[in-house]
């Protein structure tokens, strides 16, 4: 874990920032704070929403500064747990239809809560974890915008999985997403540099571009 401390007697300031990844040990004093490692952290750790779901419960997690924090989700105490039992004939079909309808209703509400959270924090990625029954319902309920943020891999986890275990399972996916995004940015830069000056590379040319706004 990393810890950043900022203090100023003149401004009556003492702020602490905790991170889920280590910082390089560094002490700086002056009229301007040294924020390089914090900027690097924000650049390397894009926000993501992780949704852990079964057919009646939704748990939502958000990545912040390398941490995975759980936030409040859709946990309706009136939601029932449905178990399939043998009935036979049209009664069996009707019973299963009711089960599917209730699961679809819950998935639609879960999708609304997920999209609201994604928009609130400006998440760049969405990861779904849960059981094999609930996940298809939730994927179908997601909007087109959420589908575009959704990671292709689905993580199989029990709804009561502890937060630390959720983080350990999700961490490799998030690292892969960060790596893919970094490569995509580099590719776009190279294409822009080669496209008749639409992009620049090197200290001299970059500084000049910034000076010209």
């Amino acid at each position: 874990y990393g810890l950043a401390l900022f203090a100023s007697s003149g401004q009556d300031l003492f702020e602490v920032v905790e991170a889920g990844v280590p910082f390089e040990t560094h002490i700086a004093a002056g009229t301007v704070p040294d924020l390089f490692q914090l900027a690097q952290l924000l650049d390397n750790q894009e926000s993501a929403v992780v949704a852990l779901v079964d057919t009646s419960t939704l748990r939502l997690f958000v990545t912040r500064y390398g941490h995975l924090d759980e936030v409040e989700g859709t946990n309706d105490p009136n939601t029932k747990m449905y178990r399939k039992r043998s009935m036979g004939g049209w009664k069996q079909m009707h019973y299963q239809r009711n089960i599917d309808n209730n699961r679809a209703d819950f998935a639609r509400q879960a999708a609304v809560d997920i999209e609201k959270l994604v928009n609130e924090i400006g998440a760049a990625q969405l990861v779904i974890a849960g059981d094999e029954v609930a996940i298809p319902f939730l994927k179908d309920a997601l909007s087109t915008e959420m589908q575009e943020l959704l990671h292709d891999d689905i993580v199989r986890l029990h709804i009561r999985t502890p937060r630390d275990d959720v983080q350990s399972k999700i961490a490799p996916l998030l690292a892969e997403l960060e790596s893919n995004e970094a490569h995509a940015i580099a590719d776009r830069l190279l294409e822009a540099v080669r496209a008749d000056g639409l992009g620049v590379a090197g200290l001299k040319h970059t500084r000049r571009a910034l000076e010209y706004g």
Side-chain angles (χ1 to χ4, degrees):
Y1 294 99
L3 185 67
L5 304 175
F6 298 89
S8 171
S9 59
Q11 299 294 327
D12 191 24
L13 170 71
F14 189 86
E15 292 288 343
V16 178
V17 177
E18 298 182 31
V21 294
F23 291 127
E24 179 183 346
T25 301
H26 177 67
I27 300 175
T31 57
V32 178
D34 185 345
L35 303 177
F36 175 75
Q37 292 197 65
L38 285 183
Q40 190 175 46
L41 172 67
L42 293 176
D43 185 56
N44 293 337
Q45 301 288 332
E46 287 190 329
S47 60
V49 168
V50 178
L52 177 56
V53 64
D54 66 7
T55 54
S56 64
T57 308
L58 171 67
R59 295 173 64 192
L60 291 173
F61 302 84
V62 172
T63 57
R64 292 188 179 98
Y65 309 127
H67 285 293
L68 186 71
D69 297 325
E70 186 166 3
V71 298
E72 184 178 354
T74 300
N75 292 298
D76 185 351
N78 297 318
T79 301
K80 298 179 180 178
M81 297 292 291
Y82 295 93
R83 291 183 175 83
K84 184 176 179 179
R85 63 174 182 259
S86 178
M87 288 182 170
W90 70 271
K91 290 184 178 180
Q92 172 66 48
M93 296 173 59
H94 178 71
Y95 182 79
Q96 188 61 43
R97 190 180 306 117
N98 286 338
I99 292 175
D100 291 343
N101 287 340
N102 280 278
R103 288 172 176 169
D105 288 342
F106 178 80
R108 282 191 288 270
Q109 181 57 54
V112 170
D113 288 353
I114 290 170
E115 184 161 359
K116 180 180 178 182
L117 180 60
V118 167
N119 291 332
E120 282 180 356
I121 69 169
Q125 306 291 345
L126 172 61
V127 177
I128 291 179
D131 66 40
E132 59 186 10
V133 175
I135 288 175
F137 283 99
L138 180 56
K139 290 184 67 176
D140 289 343
L142 292 173
S143 67
T144 302
E145 291 78 8
M146 295 301 101
Q147 293 278 359
E148 293 175 353
L149 301 180
L150 184 62
H151 191 276
D152 292 336
D153 292 340
I154 303 299
V155 182
R156 306 298 182 188
L157 287 175
H158 191 275
I159 193 64
R160 295 182 180 178
T161 301
R163 184 195 63 82
D164 288 347
D165 291 342
V166 174
Q167 182 165 8
S168 66
K169 292 288 187 181
I170 297 300
L173 293 183
L174 297 181
E176 179 186 344
L177 291 172
E178 293 289 348
S179 177
N180 292 341
E181 178 65 15
H183 283 94
I185 291 174
D187 289 342
R188 291 199 297 271
L189 173 59
L190 290 175
E191 291 173 0
V193 169
R194 294 166 179 164
D196 296 327
L198 294 178
V200 294
L203 179 60
K204 179 181 178 180
H205 297 296
T206 302
R207 181 189 294 266
R208 182 179 298 171
L210 291 172
E211 288 173 348
Y212 284 120

